[in-house]
Structures are given as structure tokens and as C-alpha cells.
Amino acid sequence: MPAAIRVLRLISSPRGAESESLRLSHQVLDGLAGRHSLEVQDVDLNDLQHVDRDYAMALASPSDSDQAETGSARQRSAELIRQLDEADVLLIATPMHNYTVPSTLKAWVDHIVRIRMTFNGTPQGKVGLLRDRPVYVALASGGLISGEQARQPDFLRPYLQAALATVGLKNMHFFCVEGTSRGEHALLEARAVAQSQVAAFFSVE
């Protein structure tokens, strides 16, 4: 029997089990499970500390020592990078907050986009050091961000694409449940549309 693929799922909504992005991520897991056996590691980002002065000073120095105090932001950064490096698939469950990623997910990005560990700076620009792998983003937005009826900007998808490409992750796929604040009927329709997108993707991938 083939080895299970390791899925790292990031949970960034403060709504917990009631989160639409978490619900959508379950459907992505179902799609993956139709093709592979899975080992899923969940990381709730809501308690993640932000980077601190020690972290910032280390990154600004010519060499970033591996030595970090227990419980420090640098130690947490190294742990998060290790989790990501060991995963075969990255699954991000996130709402859109004020047109972009919530601060919880931004904190994770700040921890894993780390010079000399996940990317190198070169005269030609930043070069990612991590191997590429599938990244699935289960996104929930209160308003509409796609199609002719979209009335709000979307900085979340281009930001994640740029940030993760910096470390070498470019194989990205987005699934969206949009208009979650437009009433129960619209929400049910949005869920059905998102579910059909996921099902269609995994039926032909």
C-alpha cells in the first residue's frame, strides 16, 4: 500500500468549527482522500505569536544562528518551517479580512518566509529553497470577489501567490465560498458552487 501523503492544514478563522473556510477545507480533504490515504496535521494559527525583536534582529544580521531560546519566536519559526518542509500538501483554510489575509495567517507567513532558511536573496531577486508541492486554499469571503458582480478588491489571492512563491511554492489552487454575509439562501448557493468546484477539480486532476 502506498505511503500516506502528509497534509499540513492551516486554520486561520477565529470562528472554529463554524468557519466556512474550515468547512470548505473538509471538502478539499475529501477530494484528496479519493486519491490517496492521508495523514493530516492541523495547525490553528489563532494562538500564533507574531515575530518579535529577537527574530527581526536575527534576520537583519549577516548570518542567522540556529540557536534560539526555548519558546522564542525564532524557535517557533523553525518549527513551522519544519512542519511545512515535511508536508506533501499544504491546505490553507482562511477567511478574507478587509480584502486580504487575516493577521493570523500573515503571522504564519512572516514566520516561514525567512532568509537563508526558506529563500536566498540574489542579484536577480529572491530564490525559494523549498520544494514545490500542491497548495490548496479554501477561502471564504463575506462579499463577492469573482465574476461580474464582484464589488470588492481581492488582495488575498495575489498576496498568497507572491508570498509562497518566494519560498518555492507555486503550484497553487484556490476554492472560494463567496458572499457568506448575503443571507442564508445566498450562503447555501455559495456552498453548493464551491463544493461543485472542488468536486470538478478532483474529478479531472
Side-chain angles (χ1 to χ4, degrees):
M1 177 179 294
I5 64 169
R6 295 164 294 185
V7 180
L8 175 63
R9 178 167 59 172
L10 307 179
I11 301 170
S12 59
S13 173
R15 299 182 65 222
E18 298 179 358
S19 162
E20 291 297 328
S21 58
L22 183 61
R23 177 196 297 267
L24 184 56
S25 76
H26 290 323
Q27 295 167 7
V28 175
L29 287 177
D30 288 343
L32 287 168
R35 294 168 173 259
H36 312 276
S37 58
L38 306 180
E39 291 180 2
V40 181
Q41 178 179 13
D42 284 338
V43 177
D44 189 336
L45 301 181
N46 287 284
D47 296 324
L48 179 62
Q49 68 189 104
H50 288 260
V51 298
D52 57 15
R53 181 181 182 276
D54 172 65
Y55 179 98
M57 294 295 289
L59 267 64
S61 68
S63 62
D64 186 2
S65 170
D66 290 336
Q67 299 299 319
E69 293 184 10
T70 301
S72 69
R74 276 204 296 158
Q75 184 188 58
R76 183 60 170 146
S77 168
E79 179 185 349
L80 293 169
I81 291 170
R82 177 190 59 77
Q83 290 174 343
L84 177 57
D85 193 42
E86 291 177 353
D88 300 306
V89 171
L90 175 62
L91 172 57
I92 301 174
T94 182
M96 175 179 284
H97 284 179
N98 298 317
Y99 314 132
T100 188
V101 296
S103 64
T104 52
L105 181 52
K106 177 60 165 63
W108 180 84
V109 170
D110 289 341
H111 278 288
I112 65 95
V113 178
R114 185 167 170 180
I115 192 166
R116 295 180 293 273
M117 291 189 69
T118 57
F119 76 91
N120 280 332
T122 76
Q124 291 73 39
K126 296 174 181 176
V127 177
L129 299 177
L130 300 184
R131 60 184 171 86
D132 199 6
R133 73 211 71 177
V135 178
Y136 301 103
V137 181
L139 165 62
S141 65
L144 300 179
I145 58 174
S146 303
E148 295 181 354
Q149 295 185 335
R151 295 294 183 270
Q152 68 181 53
D154 170 18
F155 300 113
L156 186 151
R157 285 179 286 192
Y159 168 73
L160 280 182
Q161 286 175 319
L164 294 182
T166 300
V167 302
L169 304 183
K170 301 177 182 180
N171 183 13
M172 297 192 64
H173 310 276
F174 291 87
F175 306 103
C176 303
V177 54
E178 303 182 31
T180 62
S181 64
R182 294 162 60 89
E184 185 65 24
H185 180 70
L187 175 57
L188 292 174
E189 288 188 344
R191 286 175 178 170
V193 169
Q195 185 173 1
S196 66
Q197 291 175 344
V198 173
F201 178 86
F202 286 104
S203 68
V204 300
E205 184 187 19

